[in-house]
PDB file of all heavy atoms in Angstrom:
ATOM      1  N   ASN C  18     -12.653  71.829 -66.972  1.00 90.00           N
ATOM      2  CA  ASN C  18     -12.409  72.942 -66.050  1.00 90.00           C
ATOM      3  C   ASN C  18     -12.496  72.433 -64.607  1.00 90.00           C
ATOM      4  O   ASN C  18     -13.576  72.145 -64.124  1.00 90.00           O
ATOM      5  CB  ASN C  18     -13.427  74.056 -66.264  1.00 90.00           C
ATOM      6  CG  ASN C  18     -13.124  75.285 -65.428  1.00 90.00           C
ATOM      7  OD1 ASN C  18     -11.987  75.471 -64.985  1.00 90.00           O
ATOM      8  ND2 ASN C  18     -14.135  76.110 -65.199  1.00 90.00           N
ATOM      9  N   PRO C  19     -11.330  72.302 -63.947  1.00 88.00           N
ATOM     10  CA  PRO C  19      -9.984  72.619 -64.426  1.00 88.00           C
ATOM     11  C   PRO C  19      -9.431  71.500 -65.296  1.00 88.00           C
ATOM     12  O   PRO C  19      -9.863  70.346 -65.210  1.00 88.00           O
ATOM     13  CB  PRO C  19      -9.192  72.738 -63.123  1.00 88.00           C
ATOM     14  CG  PRO C  19      -9.855  71.770 -62.198  1.00 88.00           C
ATOM     15  CD  PRO C  19     -11.319  71.852 -62.535  1.00 88.00           C
ATOM     16  N   SER C  20      -8.455  71.825 -66.113  1.00 92.00           N
ATOM     17  CA  SER C  20      -7.800  70.836 -66.952  1.00 92.00           C
ATOM     18  C   SER C  20      -6.588  70.277 -66.222  1.00 92.00           C
ATOM     19  O   SER C  20      -6.220  70.726 -65.139  1.00 92.00           O
ATOM     20  CB  SER C  20      -7.372  71.468 -68.280  1.00 92.00           C
ATOM     21  OG  SER C  20      -6.441  72.514 -68.035  1.00 92.00           O
ATOM     22  N   GLY C  21      -5.952  69.277 -66.823  1.00 91.00           N
ATOM     23  CA  GLY C  21      -4.695  68.762 -66.302  1.00 91.00           C
ATOM     24  C   GLY C  21      -4.825  67.582 -65.367  1.00 91.00           C
ATOM     25  O   GLY C  21      -5.910  67.056 -65.135  1.00 91.00           O
ATOM     26  N   GLN C  22      -3.662  67.187 -64.829  1.00 89.00           N
ATOM     27  CA  GLN C  22      -3.584  66.013 -63.958  1.00 89.00           C
ATOM     28  C   GLN C  22      -3.086  66.419 -62.574  1.00 89.00           C
ATOM     29  O   GLN C  22      -2.347  67.388 -62.415  1.00 89.00           O
ATOM     30  CB  GLN C  22      -2.618  64.958 -64.545  1.00 89.00           C
ATOM     31  CG  GLN C  22      -3.167  64.202 -65.716  1.00 89.00           C
ATOM     32  CD  GLN C  22      -3.213  65.058 -66.977  1.00 89.00           C
ATOM     33  OE1 GLN C  22      -2.235  65.641 -67.394  1.00 89.00           O
ATOM     34  NE2 GLN C  22      -4.386  65.136 -67.587  1.00 89.00           N
ATOM     35  N   SER C  23      -3.501  65.649 -61.571  1.00 86.00           N
ATOM     36  CA  SER C  23      -3.049  65.841 -60.205  1.00 86.00           C
ATOM     37  C   SER C  23      -1.797  65.008 -59.944  1.00 86.00           C
ATOM     38  O   SER C  23      -0.751  65.532 -59.564  1.00 86.00           O
ATOM     39  CB  SER C  23      -4.159  65.458 -59.223  1.00 86.00           C
ATOM     40  OG  SER C  23      -3.683  65.419 -57.900  1.00 86.00           O
ATOM     41  N   LEU C  24      -1.892  63.696 -60.148  1.00 84.00           N
ATOM     42  CA  LEU C  24      -0.746  62.807 -60.008  1.00 84.00           C
ATOM     43  C   LEU C  24      -0.881  61.708 -61.040  1.00 84.00           C
ATOM     44  O   LEU C  24      -1.716  60.806 -60.899  1.00 84.00           O
ATOM     45  CB  LEU C  24      -0.670  62.217 -58.593  1.00 84.00           C
ATOM     46  CG  LEU C  24       0.621  61.458 -58.225  1.00 84.00           C
ATOM     47  CD1 LEU C  24       0.785  61.409 -56.708  1.00 84.00           C
ATOM     48  CD2 LEU C  24       0.639  60.037 -58.775  1.00 84.00           C
ATOM     49  N   SER C  25      -0.104  61.795 -62.092  1.00 86.00           N
ATOM     50  CA  SER C  25      -0.165  60.796 -63.154  1.00 86.00           C
ATOM     51  C   SER C  25       0.619  59.569 -62.728  1.00 86.00           C
ATOM     52  O   SER C  25       1.845  59.546 -62.766  1.00 86.00           O
ATOM     53  CB  SER C  25       0.414  61.368 -64.452  1.00 86.00           C
ATOM     54  OG  SER C  25       0.338  60.411 -65.489  1.00 86.00           O
ATOM     55  N   ARG C  26      -0.098  58.556 -62.309  1.00 84.00           N
ATOM     56  CA  ARG C  26       0.529  57.343 -61.802  1.00 84.00           C
ATOM     57  C   ARG C  26       1.068  56.468 -62.925  1.00 84.00           C
ATOM     58  O   ARG C  26       2.135  55.876 -62.814  1.00 84.00           O
ATOM     59  CB  ARG C  26      -0.493  56.566 -60.977  1.00 84.00           C
ATOM     60  CG  ARG C  26       0.015  55.269 -60.396  1.00 84.00           C
ATOM     61  CD  ARG C  26       1.019  55.488 -59.308  1.00 84.00           C
ATOM     62  NE  ARG C  26       1.644  54.243 -58.902  1.00 84.00           N
ATOM     63  CZ  ARG C  26       2.615  54.153 -58.011  1.00 84.00           C
ATOM     64  NH1 ARG C  26       3.060  55.233 -57.426  1.00 84.00           N
ATOM     65  NH2 ARG C  26       3.139  52.991 -57.710  1.00 84.00           N
ATOM     66  N   GLN C  27       0.312  56.380 -64.037  1.00 87.00           N
ATOM     67  CA  GLN C  27       0.738  55.574 -65.177  1.00 87.00           C
ATOM     68  C   GLN C  27       0.213  56.170 -66.461  1.00 87.00           C
ATOM     69  O   GLN C  27      -0.829  56.829 -66.483  1.00 87.00           O
ATOM     70  CB  GLN C  27       0.233  54.131 -65.049  1.00 87.00           C
ATOM     71  CG  GLN C  27       1.029  53.271 -64.092  1.00 87.00           C
ATOM     72  CD  GLN C  27       0.522  51.836 -64.085  1.00 87.00           C
ATOM     73  OE1 GLN C  27      -0.560  51.554 -63.601  1.00 87.00           O
ATOM     74  NE2 GLN C  27       1.307  50.928 -64.622  1.00 87.00           N
ATOM     75  N   GLN C  28       0.950  55.934 -67.549  1.00 92.00           N
ATOM     76  CA  GLN C  28       0.509  56.262 -68.894  1.00 92.00           C
ATOM     77  C   GLN C  28       0.226  54.961 -69.621  1.00 92.00           C
ATOM     78  O   GLN C  28       1.138  54.167 -69.855  1.00 92.00           O
ATOM     79  CB  GLN C  28       1.581  57.065 -69.626  1.00 92.00           C
ATOM     80  CG  GLN C  28       1.899  58.397 -68.975  1.00 92.00           C
ATOM     81  CD  GLN C  28       2.936  59.212 -69.727  1.00 92.00           C
ATOM     82  OE1 GLN C  28       3.029  60.417 -69.554  1.00 92.00           O
ATOM     83  NE2 GLN C  28       3.732  58.568 -70.565  1.00 92.00           N
ATOM     84  N   LEU C  29      -1.013  54.735 -69.987  1.00 95.00           N
ATOM     85  CA  LEU C  29      -1.393  53.523 -70.711  1.00 95.00           C
ATOM     86  C   LEU C  29      -1.565  53.900 -72.175  1.00 95.00           C
ATOM     87  O   LEU C  29      -2.449  54.674 -72.535  1.00 95.00           O
ATOM     88  CB  LEU C  29      -2.686  52.937 -70.143  1.00 95.00           C
ATOM     89  CG  LEU C  29      -2.644  52.618 -68.635  1.00 95.00           C
ATOM     90  CD1 LEU C  29      -3.997  52.099 -68.159  1.00 95.00           C
ATOM     91  CD2 LEU C  29      -1.551  51.602 -68.325  1.00 95.00           C
ATOM     92  N   ILE C  30      -0.694  53.339 -73.018  1.00 95.00           N
ATOM     93  CA  ILE C  30      -0.587  53.761 -74.419  1.00 95.00           C
ATOM     94  C   ILE C  30      -1.075  52.656 -75.341  1.00 95.00           C
ATOM     95  O   ILE C  30      -0.593  51.527 -75.281  1.00 95.00           O
ATOM     96  CB  ILE C  30       0.870  54.105 -74.783  1.00 95.00           C
ATOM     97  CG1 ILE C  30       1.519  54.988 -73.721  1.00 95.00           C
ATOM     98  CG2 ILE C  30       0.938  54.742 -76.166  1.00 95.00           C
ATOM     99  CD1 ILE C  30       0.938  56.345 -73.590  1.00 95.00           C
ATOM    100  N   ALA C  31      -2.036  52.969 -76.219  1.00 96.00           N
ATOM    101  CA  ALA C  31      -2.514  52.007 -77.221  1.00 96.00           C
ATOM    102  C   ALA C  31      -3.393  52.761 -78.223  1.00 96.00           C
ATOM    103  O   ALA C  31      -3.812  53.895 -77.978  1.00 96.00           O
ATOM    104  CB  ALA C  31      -3.300  50.873 -76.566  1.00 96.00           C
ATOM    105  N   ASP C  32      -3.691  52.109 -79.322  1.00 97.00           N
ATOM    106  CA  ASP C  32      -4.632  52.670 -80.298  1.00 97.00           C
ATOM    107  C   ASP C  32      -6.040  52.240 -79.885  1.00 97.00           C
ATOM    108  O   ASP C  32      -6.600  51.279 -80.401  1.00 97.00           O
ATOM    109  CB  ASP C  32      -4.298  52.167 -81.711  1.00 97.00           C
ATOM    110  CG  ASP C  32      -5.225  52.738 -82.768  1.00 97.00           C
ATOM    111  OD1 ASP C  32      -6.003  53.667 -82.443  1.00 97.00           O
ATOM    112  OD2 ASP C  32      -5.195  52.238 -83.907  1.00 97.00           O
ATOM    113  N   PHE C  33      -6.621  52.955 -78.952  1.00 98.00           N
ATOM    114  CA  PHE C  33      -7.917  52.570 -78.398  1.00 98.00           C
ATOM    115  C   PHE C  33      -9.059  52.742 -79.391  1.00 98.00           C
ATOM    116  O   PHE C  33     -10.022  51.979 -79.382  1.00 98.00           O
ATOM    117  CB  PHE C  33      -8.206  53.382 -77.132  1.00 98.00           C
ATOM    118  CG  PHE C  33      -7.279  53.098 -75.998  1.00 98.00           C
ATOM    119  CD1 PHE C  33      -6.418  54.072 -75.525  1.00 98.00           C
ATOM    120  CD2 PHE C  33      -7.250  51.848 -75.391  1.00 98.00           C
ATOM    121  CE1 PHE C  33      -5.548  53.825 -74.472  1.00 98.00           C
ATOM    122  CE2 PHE C  33      -6.379  51.588 -74.335  1.00 98.00           C
ATOM    123  CZ  PHE C  33      -5.532  52.577 -73.880  1.00 98.00           C
ATOM    124  N   ASN C  34      -8.983  53.769 -80.262  1.00 98.00           N
ATOM    125  CA  ASN C  34     -10.092  54.021 -81.188  1.00 98.00           C
ATOM    126  C   ASN C  34      -9.846  53.442 -82.582  1.00 98.00           C
ATOM    127  O   ASN C  34     -10.614  53.729 -83.515  1.00 98.00           O
ATOM    128  CB  ASN C  34     -10.399  55.515 -81.273  1.00 98.00           C
ATOM    129  CG  ASN C  34      -9.196  56.338 -81.718  1.00 98.00           C
ATOM    130  OD1 ASN C  34      -8.133  55.790 -82.035  1.00 98.00           O
ATOM    131  ND2 ASN C  34      -9.349  57.650 -81.750  1.00 98.00           N
ATOM    132  N   ASN C  35      -8.793  52.651 -82.730  1.00 97.00           N
ATOM    133  CA  ASN C  35      -8.545  51.898 -83.960  1.00 97.00           C
ATOM    134  C   ASN C  35      -8.448  52.775 -85.211  1.00 97.00           C
ATOM    135  O   ASN C  35      -8.956  52.408 -86.278  1.00 97.00           O
ATOM    136  CB  ASN C  35      -9.626  50.830 -84.165  1.00 97.00           C
ATOM    137  CG  ASN C  35      -9.416  49.630 -83.258  1.00 97.00           C
ATOM    138  OD1 ASN C  35      -8.312  49.115 -83.135  1.00 97.00           O
ATOM    139  ND2 ASN C  35     -10.484  49.206 -82.594  1.00 97.00           N
ATOM    140  N   ASP C  36      -7.766  53.926 -85.085  1.00 97.00           N
ATOM    141  CA  ASP C  36      -7.564  54.776 -86.254  1.00 97.00           C
ATOM    142  C   ASP C  36      -6.120  54.739 -86.741  1.00 97.00           C
ATOM    143  O   ASP C  36      -5.740  55.503 -87.628  1.00 97.00           O
ATOM    144  CB  ASP C  36      -7.987  56.214 -85.951  1.00 97.00           C
ATOM    145  CG  ASP C  36      -7.101  56.883 -84.903  1.00 97.00           C
ATOM    146  OD1 ASP C  36      -6.288  56.169 -84.261  1.00 97.00           O
ATOM    147  OD2 ASP C  36      -7.241  58.110 -84.700  1.00 97.00           O
ATOM    148  N   GLY C  37      -5.308  53.852 -86.148  1.00 97.00           N
ATOM    149  CA  GLY C  37      -3.918  53.720 -86.566  1.00 97.00           C
ATOM    150  C   GLY C  37      -2.949  54.648 -85.866  1.00 97.00           C
ATOM    151  O   GLY C  37      -1.752  54.649 -86.176  1.00 97.00           O
ATOM    152  N   ILE C  38      -3.434  55.450 -84.912  1.00 98.00           N
ATOM    153  CA  ILE C  38      -2.594  56.402 -84.186  1.00 98.00           C
ATOM    154  C   ILE C  38      -2.723  56.106 -82.690  1.00 98.00           C
ATOM    155  O   ILE C  38      -3.812  55.816 -82.189  1.00 98.00           O
ATOM    156  CB  ILE C  38      -3.008  57.853 -84.482  1.00 98.00           C
ATOM    157  CG1 ILE C  38      -2.868  58.136 -85.989  1.00 98.00           C
ATOM    158  CG2 ILE C  38      -2.178  58.844 -83.681  1.00 98.00           C
ATOM    159  CD1 ILE C  38      -3.390  59.489 -86.403  1.00 98.00           C
ATOM    160  N   LEU C  39      -1.619  56.197 -81.967  1.00 97.00           N
ATOM    161  CA  LEU C  39      -1.621  55.883 -80.549  1.00 97.00           C
ATOM    162  C   LEU C  39      -2.411  56.908 -79.745  1.00 97.00           C
ATOM    163  O   LEU C  39      -2.324  58.116 -79.975  1.00 97.00           O
ATOM    164  CB  LEU C  39      -0.188  55.818 -80.012  1.00 97.00           C
ATOM    165  CG  LEU C  39       0.657  54.645 -80.512  1.00 97.00           C
ATOM    166  CD1 LEU C  39       2.090  54.785 -80.008  1.00 97.00           C
ATOM    167  CD2 LEU C  39       0.064  53.319 -80.064  1.00 97.00           C
ATOM    168  N   ASP C  40      -3.187  56.411 -78.787  1.00 98.00           N
ATOM    169  CA  ASP C  40      -3.899  57.220 -77.815  1.00 98.00           C
ATOM    170  C   ASP C  40      -3.269  56.981 -76.441  1.00 98.00           C
ATOM    171  O   ASP C  40      -2.398  56.124 -76.286  1.00 98.00           O
ATOM    172  CB  ASP C  40      -5.380  56.827 -77.796  1.00 98.00           C
ATOM    173  CG  ASP C  40      -5.983  56.740 -79.190  1.00 98.00           C
ATOM    174  OD1 ASP C  40      -6.032  57.771 -79.873  1.00 98.00           O
ATOM    175  OD2 ASP C  40      -6.375  55.628 -79.594  1.00 98.00           O
ATOM    176  N   PHE C  41      -3.727  57.703 -75.406  1.00 97.00           N
ATOM    177  CA  PHE C  41      -3.172  57.474 -74.078  1.00 97.00           C
ATOM    178  C   PHE C  41      -4.196  57.760 -72.980  1.00 97.00           C
ATOM    179  O   PHE C  41      -4.988  58.701 -73.054  1.00 97.00           O
ATOM    180  CB  PHE C  41      -1.889  58.287 -73.846  1.00 97.00           C
ATOM    181  CG  PHE C  41      -1.892  59.695 -74.363  1.00 97.00           C
ATOM    182  CD1 PHE C  41      -2.143  60.763 -73.531  1.00 97.00           C
ATOM    183  CD2 PHE C  41      -1.597  59.940 -75.700  1.00 97.00           C
ATOM    184  CE1 PHE C  41      -2.130  62.057 -74.012  1.00 97.00           C
ATOM    185  CE2 PHE C  41      -1.575  61.240 -76.191  1.00 97.00           C
ATOM    186  CZ  PHE C  41      -1.849  62.299 -75.346  1.00 97.00           C
ATOM    187  N   TYR C  42      -4.156  56.887 -71.981  1.00 96.00           N
ATOM    188  CA  TYR C  42      -5.004  56.989 -70.806  1.00 96.00           C
ATOM    189  C   TYR C  42      -4.090  57.208 -69.605  1.00 96.00           C
ATOM    190  O   TYR C  42      -3.178  56.426 -69.358  1.00 96.00           O
ATOM    191  CB  TYR C  42      -5.811  55.697 -70.636  1.00 96.00           C
ATOM    192  CG  TYR C  42      -6.848  55.730 -69.541  1.00 96.00           C
ATOM    193  CD1 TYR C  42      -8.195  55.925 -69.854  1.00 96.00           C
ATOM    194  CD2 TYR C  42      -6.506  55.557 -68.211  1.00 96.00           C
ATOM    195  CE1 TYR C  42      -9.156  55.951 -68.851  1.00 96.00           C
ATOM    196  CE2 TYR C  42      -7.458  55.575 -67.217  1.00 96.00           C
ATOM    197  CZ  TYR C  42      -8.786  55.774 -67.545  1.00 96.00           C
ATOM    198  OH  TYR C  42      -9.740  55.802 -66.548  1.00 96.00           O
ATOM    199  N   LEU C  43      -4.322  58.287 -68.848  1.00 95.00           N
ATOM    200  CA  LEU C  43      -3.477  58.621 -67.711  1.00 95.00           C
ATOM    201  C   LEU C  43      -4.183  58.230 -66.420  1.00 95.00           C
ATOM    202  O   LEU C  43      -5.274  58.716 -66.107  1.00 95.00           O
ATOM    203  CB  LEU C  43      -3.164  60.117 -67.702  1.00 95.00           C
ATOM    204  CG  LEU C  43      -2.500  60.678 -68.971  1.00 95.00           C
ATOM    205  CD1 LEU C  43      -2.148  62.146 -68.777  1.00 95.00           C
ATOM    206  CD2 LEU C  43      -1.277  59.882 -69.371  1.00 95.00           C
ATOM    207  N   VAL C  44      -3.561  57.320 -65.687  1.00 91.00           N
ATOM    208  CA  VAL C  44      -4.086  56.867 -64.398  1.00 91.00           C
ATOM    209  C   VAL C  44      -3.693  57.894 -63.344  1.00 91.00           C
ATOM    210  O   VAL C  44      -2.518  58.148 -63.117  1.00 91.00           O
ATOM    211  CB  VAL C  44      -3.521  55.475 -64.046  1.00 91.00           C
ATOM    212  CG1 VAL C  44      -4.004  55.025 -62.676  1.00 91.00           C
ATOM    213  CG2 VAL C  44      -3.911  54.464 -65.120  1.00 91.00           C
ATOM    214  N   ASP C  45      -4.670  58.486 -62.669  1.00 88.00           N
ATOM    215  CA  ASP C  45      -4.432  59.610 -61.749  1.00 88.00           C
ATOM    216  C   ASP C  45      -5.143  59.326 -60.428  1.00 88.00           C
ATOM    217  O   ASP C  45      -6.357  59.430 -60.337  1.00 88.00           O
ATOM    218  CB  ASP C  45      -4.952  60.895 -62.381  1.00 88.00           C
ATOM    219  CG  ASP C  45      -4.565  62.145 -61.608  1.00 88.00           C
ATOM    220  OD1 ASP C  45      -4.171  62.026 -60.435  1.00 88.00           O
ATOM    221  OD2 ASP C  45      -4.679  63.252 -62.168  1.00 88.00           O
ATOM    222  N   HIS C  46      -4.372  58.961 -59.387  1.00 81.00           N
ATOM    223  CA  HIS C  46      -5.051  58.652 -58.119  1.00 81.00           C
ATOM    224  C   HIS C  46      -5.077  59.838 -57.157  1.00 81.00           C
ATOM    225  O   HIS C  46      -5.563  59.725 -56.031  1.00 81.00           O
ATOM    226  CB  HIS C  46      -4.464  57.413 -57.457  1.00 81.00           C
ATOM    227  CG  HIS C  46      -3.068  57.539 -56.921  1.00 81.00           C
ATOM    228  ND1 HIS C  46      -2.579  58.668 -56.330  1.00 81.00           N
ATOM    229  CD2 HIS C  46      -2.058  56.633 -56.858  1.00 81.00           C
ATOM    230  CE1 HIS C  46      -1.336  58.463 -55.923  1.00 81.00           C
ATOM    231  NE2 HIS C  46      -0.987  57.239 -56.250  1.00 81.00           N
ATOM    232  N   GLY C  47      -4.592  60.993 -57.587  1.00 78.00           N
ATOM    233  CA  GLY C  47      -4.662  62.185 -56.753  1.00 78.00           C
ATOM    234  C   GLY C  47      -3.451  62.348 -55.861  1.00 78.00           C
ATOM    235  O   GLY C  47      -2.675  61.422 -55.640  1.00 78.00           O
ATOM    236  N   ILE C  48      -3.290  63.542 -55.334  1.00 75.00           N
ATOM    237  CA  ILE C  48      -2.155  63.849 -54.461  1.00 75.00           C
ATOM    238  C   ILE C  48      -2.681  64.615 -53.255  1.00 75.00           C
ATOM    239  O   ILE C  48      -3.578  65.444 -53.359  1.00 75.00           O
ATOM    240  CB  ILE C  48      -1.094  64.689 -55.201  1.00 75.00           C
ATOM    241  CG1 ILE C  48       0.096  64.993 -54.285  1.00 75.00           C
ATOM    242  CG2 ILE C  48      -1.674  65.962 -55.759  1.00 75.00           C
ATOM    243  CD1 ILE C  48       1.231  65.694 -54.973  1.00 75.00           C
ATOM    244  N   GLY C  49      -2.116  64.323 -52.080  1.00 61.00           N
ATOM    245  CA  GLY C  49      -2.527  65.001 -50.861  1.00 61.00           C
ATOM    246  C   GLY C  49      -3.769  64.381 -50.263  1.00 61.00           C
ATOM    247  O   GLY C  49      -4.537  63.677 -50.921  1.00 61.00           O
ATOM    248  N   GLY C  50      -3.972  64.609 -48.996  1.00 54.00           N
ATOM    249  CA  GLY C  50      -5.117  64.032 -48.309  1.00 54.00           C
ATOM    250  C   GLY C  50      -4.817  62.635 -47.837  1.00 54.00           C
ATOM    251  O   GLY C  50      -4.113  61.880 -48.495  1.00 54.00           O
ATOM    252  N   GLY C  51      -5.324  62.286 -46.678  1.00 56.00           N
ATOM    253  CA  GLY C  51      -5.014  60.992 -46.108  1.00 56.00           C
ATOM    254  C   GLY C  51      -6.070  59.930 -46.319  1.00 56.00           C
ATOM    255  O   GLY C  51      -5.916  58.788 -45.883  1.00 56.00           O
ATOM    256  N   ASN C  52      -7.156  60.279 -47.018  1.00 58.00           N
ATOM    257  CA  ASN C  52      -8.259  59.321 -47.135  1.00 58.00           C
ATOM    258  C   ASN C  52      -8.252  58.546 -48.441  1.00 58.00           C
ATOM    259  O   ASN C  52      -9.099  57.674 -48.647  1.00 58.00           O
ATOM    260  CB  ASN C  52      -9.606  60.047 -46.997  1.00 58.00           C
ATOM    261  CG  ASN C  52      -9.757  61.194 -47.973  1.00 58.00           C
ATOM    262  OD1 ASN C  52      -8.862  61.454 -48.779  1.00 58.00           O
ATOM    263  ND2 ASN C  52     -10.875  61.892 -47.900  1.00 58.00           N
ATOM    264  N   HIS C  53      -7.315  58.846 -49.355  1.00 63.00           N
ATOM    265  CA  HIS C  53      -7.186  58.095 -50.601  1.00 63.00           C
ATOM    266  C   HIS C  53      -8.515  57.971 -51.345  1.00 63.00           C
ATOM    267  O   HIS C  53      -8.938  56.889 -51.745  1.00 63.00           O
ATOM    268  CB  HIS C  53      -6.618  56.695 -50.322  1.00 63.00           C
ATOM    269  CG  HIS C  53      -5.225  56.706 -49.776  1.00 63.00           C
ATOM    270  ND1 HIS C  53      -4.879  56.090 -48.615  1.00 63.00           N
ATOM    271  CD2 HIS C  53      -4.092  57.301 -50.231  1.00 63.00           C
ATOM    272  CE1 HIS C  53      -3.587  56.278 -48.362  1.00 63.00           C
ATOM    273  NE2 HIS C  53      -3.093  57.010 -49.334  1.00 63.00           N
ATOM    274  N   ASP C  54      -9.184  59.097 -51.518  1.00 66.00           N
ATOM    275  CA  ASP C  54     -10.475  59.063 -52.201  1.00 66.00           C
ATOM    276  C   ASP C  54     -10.358  59.189 -53.709  1.00 66.00           C
ATOM    277  O   ASP C  54     -11.346  59.153 -54.422  1.00 66.00           O
ATOM    278  CB  ASP C  54     -11.397  60.165 -51.669  1.00 66.00           C
ATOM    279  CG  ASP C  54     -10.783  61.559 -51.776  1.00 66.00           C
ATOM    280  OD1 ASP C  54      -9.599  61.655 -52.152  1.00 66.00           O
ATOM    281  OD2 ASP C  54     -11.492  62.542 -51.481  1.00 66.00           O
ATOM    282  N   GLY C  55      -9.126  59.326 -54.200  1.00 73.00           N
ATOM    283  CA  GLY C  55      -8.916  59.265 -55.640  1.00 73.00           C
ATOM    284  C   GLY C  55      -9.142  60.582 -56.358  1.00 73.00           C
ATOM    285  O   GLY C  55      -9.469  61.612 -55.776  1.00 73.00           O
ATOM    286  N   PHE C  56      -8.964  60.507 -57.681  1.00 82.00           N
ATOM    287  CA  PHE C  56      -9.119  61.672 -58.539  1.00 82.00           C
ATOM    288  C   PHE C  56      -9.532  61.162 -59.908  1.00 82.00           C
ATOM    289  O   PHE C  56      -9.491  59.964 -60.178  1.00 82.00           O
ATOM    290  CB  PHE C  56      -7.793  62.450 -58.609  1.00 82.00           C
ATOM    291  CG  PHE C  56      -7.917  63.817 -59.210  1.00 82.00           C
ATOM    292  CD1 PHE C  56      -8.583  64.822 -58.520  1.00 82.00           C
ATOM    293  CD2 PHE C  56      -7.377  64.113 -60.447  1.00 82.00           C
ATOM    294  CE1 PHE C  56      -8.705  66.098 -59.058  1.00 82.00           C
ATOM    295  CE2 PHE C  56      -7.486  65.373 -61.004  1.00 82.00           C
ATOM    296  CZ  PHE C  56      -8.152  66.368 -60.303  1.00 82.00           C
TER     297      PHE C  56
END
């Protein structure tokens, strides 16, 4: 809460938990603001 992404910079796809099914990690550095403090 809240859910979702601000700015999905990259989708990193792999079977991270080794169950035979692909997982995904979304790199999100944020949108707006001039200080680049991330998200």
Side-chain angles (χ1 to χ4, degrees):
N18 186 21
S20 62
Q22 286 73 54
S23 170
L24 190 158
S25 181
R26 179 70 189 176
Q27 282 184 290
Q28 298 182 160
L29 304 177
I30 314 294
D32 181 10
F33 294 115
N34 58 4
N35 284 314
D36 66 349
I38 300 174
L39 291 174
D40 312 296
F41 41 99
Y42 187 101
L43 304 184
V44 177
D45 188 344
H46 68 37
I48 181 175
N52 55 1
H53 296 125
D54 56 354
F56 193 70

